[in-house]
CSV table of all heavy atoms in Angstrom, one decimal:
chain,number,residue,atom,x,y,z
A,20,GLY,N,42.1,199.4,230.2
A,20,GLY,CA,41.0,199.6,229.4
A,20,GLY,C,39.7,199.3,230.2
A,20,GLY,O,39.6,198.2,230.9
A,21,LEU,N,38.8,200.2,230.3
A,21,LEU,CA,37.5,199.9,230.9
A,21,LEU,C,36.4,199.9,229.8
A,21,LEU,O,35.5,200.8,229.8
A,21,LEU,CB,37.2,201.0,232.0
A,21,LEU,CG,38.3,201.4,232.9
A,21,LEU,CD1,37.8,202.5,233.8
A,21,LEU,CD2,38.7,200.1,233.8
A,22,GLY,N,36.4,198.9,228.9
A,22,GLY,CA,35.5,199.0,227.9
A,22,GLY,C,35.9,200.1,226.9
A,22,GLY,O,37.0,200.2,226.4
A,23,ALA,N,34.9,200.9,226.7
A,23,ALA,CA,35.2,202.1,225.8
A,23,ALA,C,36.0,203.2,226.4
A,23,ALA,O,36.6,204.0,225.7
A,23,ALA,CB,33.8,202.6,225.3
A,24,VAL,N,36.1,203.2,227.7
A,24,VAL,CA,36.8,204.2,228.5
A,24,VAL,C,38.3,203.7,228.7
A,24,VAL,O,38.4,202.5,229.0
A,24,VAL,CB,36.1,204.6,229.7
A,24,VAL,CG1,36.9,205.6,230.5
A,24,VAL,CG2,34.7,205.1,229.4
A,25,THR,N,39.2,204.6,228.7
A,25,THR,CA,40.6,204.3,228.9
A,25,THR,C,41.2,205.1,230.1
A,25,THR,O,40.9,206.3,230.1
A,25,THR,CB,41.5,204.5,227.7
A,25,THR,OG1,41.0,203.7,226.7
A,25,THR,CG2,43.0,204.0,228.0
A,26,VAL,N,41.8,204.5,231.0
A,26,VAL,CA,42.5,205.2,232.2
A,26,VAL,C,43.9,204.9,232.2
A,26,VAL,O,44.3,203.7,231.9
A,26,VAL,CB,41.8,204.8,233.5
A,26,VAL,CG1,42.5,205.5,234.7
A,26,VAL,CG2,40.3,205.1,233.6
A,27,TRP,N,44.7,205.8,232.5
A,27,TRP,CA,46.1,205.5,232.6
A,27,TRP,C,46.8,206.5,233.5
A,27,TRP,O,46.4,207.6,233.9
A,27,TRP,CB,46.8,205.5,231.1
A,27,TRP,CG,47.1,207.0,230.6
A,27,TRP,CD1,48.2,207.7,230.8
A,27,TRP,CD2,46.1,207.7,229.8
A,27,TRP,NE1,48.0,208.9,230.1
A,27,TRP,CE2,46.8,208.9,229.5
A,27,TRP,CE3,44.9,207.5,229.3
A,27,TRP,CZ2,46.2,210.0,228.8
A,27,TRP,CZ3,44.3,208.4,228.6
A,27,TRP,CH2,44.9,209.7,228.3
A,28,SER,N,48.1,206.0,234.0
A,28,SER,CA,49.0,206.9,234.6
A,28,SER,C,50.3,207.0,233.8
A,28,SER,O,50.7,206.0,233.2
A,28,SER,CB,49.3,206.4,236.1
A,28,SER,OG,49.8,205.1,235.9
A,29,ALA,N,50.9,208.1,233.9
A,29,ALA,CA,52.2,208.3,233.1
A,29,ALA,C,53.2,209.2,233.9
A,29,ALA,O,52.7,210.1,234.6
A,29,ALA,CB,51.9,208.9,231.8
A,30,THR,N,54.4,208.8,233.8
A,30,THR,CA,55.5,209.6,234.3
A,30,THR,C,56.5,209.8,233.2
A,30,THR,O,56.9,208.8,232.5
A,30,THR,CB,56.1,209.0,235.5
A,30,THR,OG1,55.2,208.7,236.5
A,30,THR,CG2,57.3,209.8,236.1
A,31,PHE,N,56.8,211.1,232.9
A,31,PHE,CA,57.7,211.3,231.7
A,31,PHE,C,58.5,212.6,231.9
A,31,PHE,O,58.2,213.5,232.8
A,31,PHE,CB,56.9,211.4,230.4
A,31,PHE,CG,55.8,212.3,230.5
A,31,PHE,CD1,55.8,213.7,230.1
A,31,PHE,CD2,54.5,211.9,231.0
A,31,PHE,CE1,54.8,214.5,230.1
A,31,PHE,CE2,53.4,212.7,231.0
A,31,PHE,CZ,53.6,214.0,230.6
A,32,GLN,N,59.5,212.8,231.1
A,32,GLN,CA,60.3,214.0,231.1
A,32,GLN,C,59.6,215.0,230.2
A,32,GLN,O,58.7,214.7,229.5
A,32,GLN,CB,61.7,213.7,230.6
A,32,GLN,CG,62.6,212.8,231.5
A,32,GLN,CD,64.0,212.6,231.0
A,32,GLN,OE1,64.1,211.9,229.9
A,32,GLN,NE2,65.0,213.0,231.7
A,33,PRO,N,60.0,216.3,230.4
A,33,PRO,CA,59.2,217.4,229.7
A,33,PRO,C,59.1,217.1,228.3
A,33,PRO,O,60.0,216.7,227.6
A,33,PRO,CB,60.1,218.6,230.1
A,33,PRO,CG,60.8,218.3,231.3
A,33,PRO,CD,61.1,216.8,231.3
A,34,LEU,N,57.9,217.5,227.8
A,34,LEU,CA,57.5,217.2,226.4
A,34,LEU,C,56.7,218.4,225.8
A,34,LEU,O,56.0,219.1,226.6
A,34,LEU,CB,56.7,215.9,226.3
A,34,LEU,CG,57.4,214.6,226.2
A,34,LEU,CD1,56.3,213.5,226.3
A,34,LEU,CD2,58.2,214.4,224.9
A,35,VAL,N,56.7,218.5,224.5
A,35,VAL,CA,55.6,219.3,223.8
A,35,VAL,C,54.8,218.3,223.0
A,35,VAL,O,55.4,217.6,222.2
A,35,VAL,CB,56.3,220.4,222.9
A,35,VAL,CG1,55.2,221.1,222.2
A,35,VAL,CG2,57.1,221.3,223.8
A,36,PHE,N,53.5,218.3,223.2
A,36,PHE,CA,52.5,217.4,222.4
A,36,PHE,C,51.9,218.3,221.4
A,36,PHE,O,51.4,219.4,221.8
A,36,PHE,CB,51.5,216.8,223.3
A,36,PHE,CG,52.0,216.0,224.5
A,36,PHE,CD1,52.5,216.6,225.7
A,36,PHE,CD2,52.1,214.6,224.4
A,36,PHE,CE1,52.9,215.9,226.7
A,36,PHE,CE2,52.6,213.9,225.5
A,36,PHE,CZ,53.0,214.5,226.7
A,37,ARG,N,51.8,217.9,220.2
A,37,ARG,CA,51.1,218.7,219.2
A,37,ARG,C,50.2,217.8,218.4
A,37,ARG,O,50.6,216.8,217.8
A,37,ARG,CB,52.1,219.4,218.2
A,37,ARG,CG,51.5,220.0,217.0
A,37,ARG,CD,52.5,220.9,216.3
A,37,ARG,NE,52.7,222.1,217.0
A,37,ARG,CZ,53.5,223.1,216.5
A,37,ARG,NH1,54.1,223.0,215.3
A,37,ARG,NH2,53.7,224.2,217.2
A,38,ARG,N,48.9,218.3,218.3
A,38,ARG,CA,47.8,217.7,217.4
A,38,ARG,C,47.6,218.7,216.4
A,38,ARG,O,47.0,219.8,216.6
A,38,ARG,CB,46.6,217.3,218.2
A,38,ARG,CG,46.6,216.0,218.9
A,38,ARG,CD,46.4,214.8,218.1
A,38,ARG,NE,45.0,214.6,217.6
A,38,ARG,CZ,44.6,213.7,216.8
A,38,ARG,NH1,45.6,213.0,216.1
A,38,ARG,NH2,43.4,213.6,216.5
A,39,THR,N,47.9,218.4,215.1
A,39,THR,CA,47.8,219.2,214.0
A,39,THR,C,46.5,218.9,213.2
A,39,THR,O,46.0,217.8,213.3
A,39,THR,CB,49.0,219.2,213.0
A,39,THR,OG1,49.0,217.8,212.4
A,39,THR,CG2,50.3,219.4,213.8
A,40,PRO,N,46.0,219.8,212.4
A,40,PRO,CA,44.8,219.5,211.6
A,40,PRO,C,45.0,218.3,210.6
A,40,PRO,O,44.1,217.5,210.4
A,40,PRO,CB,44.6,220.8,210.8
A,40,PRO,CG,45.2,221.9,211.6
A,40,PRO,CD,46.4,221.3,212.3
A,41,LYS,N,46.3,218.2,210.1
A,41,LYS,CA,46.6,217.1,209.3
A,41,LYS,C,46.5,215.7,210.1
A,41,LYS,O,46.0,214.7,209.5
A,41,LYS,CB,48.0,217.2,208.7
A,41,LYS,CG,48.5,216.1,207.8
A,41,LYS,CD,49.8,216.3,207.2
A,41,LYS,CE,50.3,215.1,206.3
A,41,LYS,NZ,51.6,215.3,205.8
A,42,LEU,N,47.1,215.7,211.3
A,42,LEU,CA,46.9,214.5,212.1
A,42,LEU,C,45.5,214.2,212.4
A,42,LEU,O,45.1,213.0,212.4
A,42,LEU,CB,47.8,214.6,213.3
A,42,LEU,CG,49.3,214.5,213.1
A,42,LEU,CD1,50.1,214.9,214.5
A,42,LEU,CD2,49.8,213.2,212.6
A,43,ILE,N,44.7,215.2,212.7
A,43,ILE,CA,43.3,215.0,213.0
A,43,ILE,C,42.6,214.4,211.8
A,43,ILE,O,41.7,213.5,212.0
A,43,ILE,CB,42.7,216.3,213.5
A,43,ILE,CG1,43.3,216.7,214.8
A,43,ILE,CG2,41.2,216.1,213.6
A,43,ILE,CD1,42.9,218.1,215.3
A,44,ARG,N,42.9,214.9,210.7
A,44,ARG,CA,42.2,214.3,209.4
A,44,ARG,C,42.7,212.9,209.2
A,44,ARG,O,41.8,212.1,208.8
A,44,ARG,CB,42.5,215.1,208.2
A,44,ARG,CG,41.9,216.5,208.2
A,44,ARG,CD,42.1,217.2,206.8
A,44,ARG,NE,43.5,217.4,206.4
A,44,ARG,CZ,44.1,218.5,206.7
A,44,ARG,NH1,43.5,219.5,207.4
A,44,ARG,NH2,45.4,218.7,206.3
A,45,GLN,N,43.9,212.6,209.5
A,45,GLN,CA,44.3,211.2,209.4
A,45,GLN,C,43.7,210.2,210.3
A,45,GLN,O,43.4,209.1,210.0
A,45,GLN,CB,45.9,211.1,209.5
A,45,GLN,CG,46.6,211.8,208.3
A,45,GLN,CD,48.1,211.8,208.6
A,45,GLN,OE1,48.6,211.5,209.6
A,45,GLN,NE2,48.9,212.3,207.6
A,46,SER,N,43.6,210.6,211.6
A,46,SER,CA,43.1,209.7,212.6
A,46,SER,C,42.5,210.6,213.8
A,46,SER,O,43.2,211.3,214.4
A,46,SER,CB,44.2,208.9,213.1
A,46,SER,OG,43.7,208.1,214.2
A,47,ASP,N,41.2,210.4,214.0
A,47,ASP,CA,40.6,211.1,215.1
A,47,ASP,C,39.7,210.0,215.9
A,47,ASP,O,38.7,209.7,215.4
A,47,ASP,CB,39.7,212.2,214.6
A,47,ASP,CG,39.1,213.0,215.8
A,47,ASP,OD1,39.4,212.7,217.0
A,47,ASP,OD2,38.3,213.9,215.6
A,48,PRO,N,40.2,209.6,217.1
A,48,PRO,CA,39.3,208.7,217.9
A,48,PRO,C,38.1,209.3,218.4
A,48,PRO,O,37.3,208.6,219.1
A,48,PRO,CB,40.3,208.2,219.0
A,48,PRO,CG,41.3,209.3,219.1
A,48,PRO,CD,41.4,209.9,217.7
A,49,GLU,N,37.9,210.6,218.3
A,49,GLU,CA,36.6,211.3,218.7
A,49,GLU,C,36.5,211.1,220.3
A,49,GLU,O,35.5,210.5,220.8
A,49,GLU,CB,35.4,210.8,218.0
A,49,GLU,CG,35.4,211.2,216.6
A,49,GLU,CD,34.8,212.6,216.4
A,49,GLU,OE1,34.1,213.1,217.3
A,49,GLU,OE2,35.0,213.2,215.3
A,50,THR,N,37.5,211.5,221.0
A,50,THR,CA,37.5,211.4,222.4
A,50,THR,C,37.7,212.7,223.2
A,50,THR,O,38.3,213.6,222.6
A,50,THR,CB,38.6,210.4,222.9
A,50,THR,OG1,39.8,210.8,222.5
A,50,THR,CG2,38.3,209.0,222.4
A,51,TYR,N,37.2,212.8,224.5
A,51,TYR,CA,37.6,213.8,225.4
A,51,TYR,C,38.7,213.2,226.2
A,51,TYR,O,38.7,212.1,226.7
A,51,TYR,CB,36.5,214.2,226.3
A,51,TYR,CG,35.4,215.1,225.5
A,51,TYR,CD1,34.2,214.6,225.3
A,51,TYR,CD2,35.8,216.4,225.1
A,51,TYR,CE1,33.2,215.3,224.7
A,51,TYR,CE2,34.8,217.1,224.5
A,51,TYR,CZ,33.5,216.7,224.3
A,51,TYR,OH,32.6,217.4,223.6
A,52,HIS,N,39.7,214.1,226.5
A,52,HIS,CA,40.9,213.7,227.3
A,52,HIS,C,40.9,214.5,228.6
A,52,HIS,O,40.9,215.8,228.5
A,52,HIS,CB,42.1,213.9,226.5
A,52,HIS,CG,43.4,213.7,227.3
A,52,HIS,ND1,44.3,212.7,227.1
A,52,HIS,CD2,44.0,214.5,228.3
A,52,HIS,CE1,45.4,212.9,227.9
A,52,HIS,NE2,45.2,214.0,228.6
A,53,LEU,N,40.9,213.9,229.7
A,53,LEU,CA,41.0,214.6,231.0
A,53,LEU,C,42.2,214.1,231.8
A,53,LEU,O,42.3,212.9,232.0
A,53,LEU,CB,39.7,214.4,231.8
A,53,LEU,CG,38.4,214.9,231.3
A,53,LEU,CD1,37.7,213.9,230.4
A,53,LEU,CD2,37.4,215.4,232.3
A,54,SER,N,43.0,215.0,232.1
A,54,SER,CA,44.3,214.6,232.8
A,54,SER,C,44.4,215.3,234.1
A,54,SER,O,44.4,216.6,234.2
A,54,SER,CB,45.4,214.9,231.9
A,54,SER,OG,46.6,214.4,232.5
A,55,LEU,N,44.7,214.7,235.2
A,55,LEU,CA,45.0,215.2,236.5
A,55,LEU,C,46.5,215.4,236.6
A,55,LEU,O,47.3,214.4,236.5
A,55,LEU,CB,44.6,214.2,237.6
A,55,LEU,CG,45.1,214.6,239.0
A,55,LEU,CD1,44.5,216.0,239.5
A,55,LEU,CD2,44.7,213.4,240.0
A,56,VAL,N,46.9,216.6,236.8
A,56,VAL,CA,48.4,216.9,236.9
A,56,VAL,C,48.8,216.6,238.4
A,56,VAL,O,48.3,217.4,239.3
A,56,VAL,CB,48.6,218.4,236.5
A,56,VAL,CG1,50.2,218.7,236.7
A,56,VAL,CG2,48.2,218.7,235.1
């Protein structure tokens, strides 16, 4: 945690991530996500 900004590293097995309209209505942190592959 860098105050309001968050930085992380992750290692994981193959995944499918899904953000649906319903999940967005339930909770939206209003952030931009930038990820270096």
Side-chain angles (χ1 to χ4, degrees):
L21 308 180
V24 178
T25 303
V26 177
W27 75 90
S28 61
T30 303
F31 51 91
Q32 291 180 298
L34 278 172
V35 177
F36 305 83
R37 169 169 287 183
R38 277 282 283 170
T39 65
K41 180 179 179 180
L42 289 174
I43 293 170
R44 288 193 298 271
Q45 290 175 353
S46 176
D47 183 6
E49 292 276 341
T50 58
Y51 287 113
H52 170 109
L53 296 92
S54 182
L55 169 66
V56 181

